[in-house]
Amino acid sequence: MLNPSSKFVISKCGRGVLIALSVLKQATKRRVGVGQLSLVEHSLCPLAASNTENLVHAVEYHYSNAKRQRKTAKVRIFAPLGLSAVDELYLWGLLNLTLAQPTVDGSLTATPHWCLRQMGIIDPGSRRGGRQYQQFAQALERLSVVNYLSDACYDATRGEYRKVSFGFLSYSLPVDPKSSRSWTINWDSTFFDLIHATGGGMRFDLSLYRSLDAASRRFLLFILKVGYRKGRLPVLDLRHLAVDLLGLSNRLAIHDMKVKVARTLKRLQDAEVIASSSIKRMEPGRFSVTFERGEYLNRLPDQINRISVQDSPMLEGLLAVGFENPAAVRLIKLYPSKLVAQWTDITQAAIEQFGPQHFRVSPMAFLTDSLKQASKGVRTPPDWWQDAKRKEQRTQQPTEAGKQVLSKLLHEVFGPERSASLSSDKPERAADLLKKFVET
């Protein structure tokens, strides 16, 4: 990647100028992630990769209530398909891409290529449909069935800690893995409201985050949350840091915890996030972890800008239909985002299912006319497309063991009376069971 200050010769050819400007833009582009303030206080799953079905991860974190009293929040994360610490990269990255859209409505419609390129996981020349796409789809599948329960999650809108239960996201994507159509990600409304509220989320440098190992990533977000002010950073208990924040096993010997935590401290010290870190013995079997502010905390990145029309996730779909770049940009500017995304998907689905001969004139003419008519309210999506969308909707059903684990968690966190109202007459997704429980 070129340094923006590097000198180089630009061809007199117009295309050469565009290529050079594009390279400069990519070189200076800042990748950003978004984390929710309570969630970055603790790990979301064990640090070791876990594909165990019906995984339950129990953690705690400390907070101060309105009377400045120190309290302990108890959290349970239920992952029916398991969860990996690497999945957090997709979670925080996709949240930022959603919030950076011109219209923020709790959903993101984009191709996997666009998402991974915006997050810096692949470059523009990466082969479509490769290993990164499979990992992305698998991470989405795991994240889509996660259920989070906490007895004290910070709600920035209300300015208080509240009992909560929510999922992260749901999605709809083409059944055919070779399809070039966009994927749709819909965020759980309770979770998204916590993130979207002013003061409910924090932005961070995704490039630095991606360069670290999983333990250092978690510690980085915690430090960014508590270190945004100029004061001293907190002193942490070694076991709490290792088990609850980083996600190490509580069965590890204290000596092994010290070794692993020291390795994480060194990585963040090398990145200048912290300085002068040390682990001190307080009493037999108990240690404290201290560290000071690193230079990185004094040069935190600015808040991101909205994604421009030229970077819109809808642009790829319109170009795939056959539009030239200027015409595609005009359509994105002229019509609402959801309408463009919907009719682009209908057009691409028709090309894949029926072929180009399905259109009387051309796919571009059909899409342009459909947008014009749909914006007036006189054209609705065809029945065959609605049927296809229903087939693509993911309906993960929990196992009987998973339903029993979830019922036990609800009983533990919210009490026996409310958890008894959870009906099991017919199979439902775990996230839907939670929503039904919360509404009772």
Side-chain angles (χ1 to χ4, degrees), residues 90 94 111-113 115-116 119 131-141 183 185:
Y90 301 102
L94 289 172
T111 64
H113 183 82
C115 293
L116 296 178
M119 289 189 285
R131 174 175 52 85
Q132 293 94 337
Y133 292 80
Q134 295 174 2
Q135 293 173 343
F136 183 24
Q138 291 166 359
L140 279 182
E141 184 178 29
W183 296 6
I185 297 168

Side-chain angles (χ1 to χ4, degrees), residues 33-45 59-63 75 77 88-89 91-93 95 148 150 152-154 161 166 168 191 194-195 199-204 209 214-228 234 236 240-241 243-247 268:
V34 172
Q36 201 278 332
L37 294 183
S38 290
L39 269 65
V40 303
E41 291 268 6
H42 58 78
S43 59
L44 294 179
C45 66
V59 287
E60 298 179 348
Y61 69 92
H62 309 302
Y63 68 98
V75 176
I77 298 109
E88 295 165 34
L89 169 63
L91 177 65
W92 305 137
L95 275 170
Y148 180 94
S150 171
C153 182
Y154 183 67
Y161 288 85
F166 53 76
F168 288 144
F191 174 58
L194 292 172
I195 287 280
M202 51 171 283
R203 286 188 165 93
F204 58 90
Y209 178 89
S216 303
R217 289 174 176 178
R218 288 171 171 173
F219 201 23
L220 168 68
L221 298 191
F222 174 79
I223 292 171
L224 291 179
K225 177 190 172 179
V226 301
Y228 72 98
L236 301 176
H240 172 69
L241 169 60
V243 176
D244 292 309
L245 180 54
L246 301 187
L268 290 179

Side-chain angles (χ1 to χ4, degrees), residues 305-326:
N305 297 320
R306 297 289 184 192
I307 290 177
S308 66
V309 174
Q310 288 73 20
D311 280 334
S312 170
M314 292 174 288
L315 195 60
E316 281 192 353
L318 291 171
L319 296 178
V321 169
F323 288 97
E324 294 293 332
N325 194 80

Side-chain angles (χ1 to χ4, degrees), residues 194-385:
L194 292 172
I195 287 280
H196 194 203
T198 302
M202 51 171 283
R203 286 188 165 93
F204 58 90
D205 183 348
L206 196 65
S207 297
L208 172 61
Y209 178 89
R210 198 177 63 249
S211 70
L212 300 170
D213 63 287
S216 303
R217 289 174 176 178
R218 288 171 171 173
F219 201 23
L220 168 68
L221 298 191
F222 174 79
I223 292 171
L224 291 179
K225 177 190 172 179
V226 301
Y228 72 98
R229 293 175 177 162
K230 298 297 183 181
R232 294 179 60 84
L233 295 174
V235 176
L236 301 176
D237 176 77
L238 174 66
R239 179 173 287 276
H240 172 69
L241 169 60
V243 176
D244 292 309
L245 180 54
L246 301 187
L248 294 171
S249 172
N250 59 8
R251 294 190 295 271
L252 278 177
I254 195 68
H255 174 268
D256 294 330
M257 286 186 185
K258 285 175 59 181
V259 171
K260 293 179 181 294
V261 168
R263 188 181 303 136
T264 298
L265 293 171
K266 183 179 185 308
R267 283 171 179 155
L268 290 179
Q269 194 159 310
D270 291 342
E272 298 184 334
V273 176
I274 59 174
S276 305
S277 62
S278 64
I279 301 176
K280 299 179 181 178
R281 183 175 181 270
M282 306 299 291
E283 58 185 58
R286 187 171 171 228
F287 295 81
S288 66
V289 180
T290 61
F291 42 89
E292 297 179 3
R293 299 174 59 85
E295 182 60 30
Y296 178 82
L297 295 183
N298 297 325
R299 57 174 192 269
L300 291 177
D302 299 329
Q303 298 294 321
I304 61 161
N305 297 320
R306 297 289 184 192
I307 290 177
S308 66
V309 174
Q310 288 73 20
D311 280 334
S312 170
M314 292 174 288
L315 195 60
E316 281 192 353
L318 291 171
L319 296 178
V321 169
F323 288 97
E324 294 293 332
N325 194 80
V329 169
R330 280 197 300 272
L331 289 177
I332 294 172
K333 290 181 177 180
L334 187 59
Y335 296 104
S337 300
K338 276 192 171 295
L339 208 60
V340 176
Q342 182 183 66
W343 283 96
T344 300
D345 188 71
I346 292 171
T347 306
Q348 288 185 284
I351 294 173
E352 292 179 2
Q353 186 167 340
F354 307 116
Q357 67 275 8
H358 174 75
F359 306 96
R360 283 188 297 179
V361 180
S362 68
M364 292 84 77
F366 168 79
L367 178 51
T368 303
D369 183 62
S370 295
L371 285 172
K372 182 178 179 180
Q373 300 303 322
S375 65
K376 297 177 181 178
V378 296
R379 182 171 298 178
T380 58
D383 291 340
W384 63 264
W385 181 80

Side-chain angles (χ1 to χ4, degrees), residues 6-234:
S6 299
K7 295 181 179 180
F8 58 95
V9 177
I10 300 178
S11 167
K12 294 182 179 180
C13 166
R15 183 180 296 273
V17 173
L18 289 176
I19 292 174
L21 291 176
S22 176
V23 170
L24 278 176
K25 182 179 179 182
Q26 293 169 20
T28 58
K29 189 169 185 178
R30 179 176 287 141
R31 317 284 182 183
V32 182
V34 172
Q36 201 278 332
L37 294 183
S38 290
L39 269 65
V40 303
E41 291 268 6
H42 58 78
S43 59
L44 294 179
C45 66
L47 192 57
S50 176
N51 295 320
T52 305
E53 289 191 356
N54 301 325
L55 168 71
V56 179
H57 186 55
V59 287
E60 298 179 348
Y61 69 92
H62 309 302
Y63 68 98
S64 296
N65 63 10
K67 298 180 179 179
R68 296 187 178 278
Q69 299 170 324
R70 293 298 287 172
K71 298 287 185 178
T72 299
K74 296 183 182 296
V75 176
R76 300 291 185 274
I77 298 109
F78 176 38
L81 299 180
L83 198 61
S84 168
V86 179
D87 296 344
E88 295 165 34
L89 169 63
Y90 301 102
L91 177 65
W92 305 137
L94 289 172
L95 275 170
N96 179 69
L97 295 181
T98 304
L99 292 169
Q101 298 300 310
T103 302
V104 179
D105 59 5
S107 66
L108 175 66
T109 298
T111 64
H113 183 82
W114 184 88
C115 293
L116 296 178
R117 182 163 51 83
Q118 291 292 325
M119 289 189 285
I121 297 174
I122 62 174
D123 57 46
S126 297
R127 183 173 63 86
R128 295 172 184 260
R131 174 175 52 85
Q132 293 94 337
Y133 292 80
Q134 295 174 2
Q135 293 173 343
F136 183 24
Q138 291 166 359
L140 279 182
E141 184 178 29
R142 291 188 294 266
L143 288 167
S144 71
V145 292
V146 168
N147 296 276
Y148 180 94
L149 297 93
S150 171
D151 62 5
C153 182
Y154 183 67
D155 185 330
T157 302
R158 296 178 173 88
E160 63 181 8
Y161 288 85
R162 297 171 64 87
K163 287 186 176 182
V164 298
S165 65
F166 53 76
F168 288 144
L169 57 87
S170 60
Y171 65 81
S172 175
L173 52 88
V175 175
D176 183 1
K178 297 180 181 179
S179 173
S180 61
R181 292 162 58 202
S182 296
W183 296 6
T184 297
I185 297 168
N186 294 299
W187 296 100
D188 179 278
S189 58
T190 301
F191 174 58
F192 194 73
D193 287 346
L194 292 172
I195 287 280
H196 194 203
T198 302
M202 51 171 283
R203 286 188 165 93
F204 58 90
D205 183 348
L206 196 65
S207 297
L208 172 61
Y209 178 89
R210 198 177 63 249
S211 70
L212 300 170
D213 63 287
S216 303
R217 289 174 176 178
R218 288 171 171 173
F219 201 23
L220 168 68
L221 298 191
F222 174 79
I223 292 171
L224 291 179
K225 177 190 172 179
V226 301
Y228 72 98
R229 293 175 177 162
K230 298 297 183 181
R232 294 179 60 84
L233 295 174

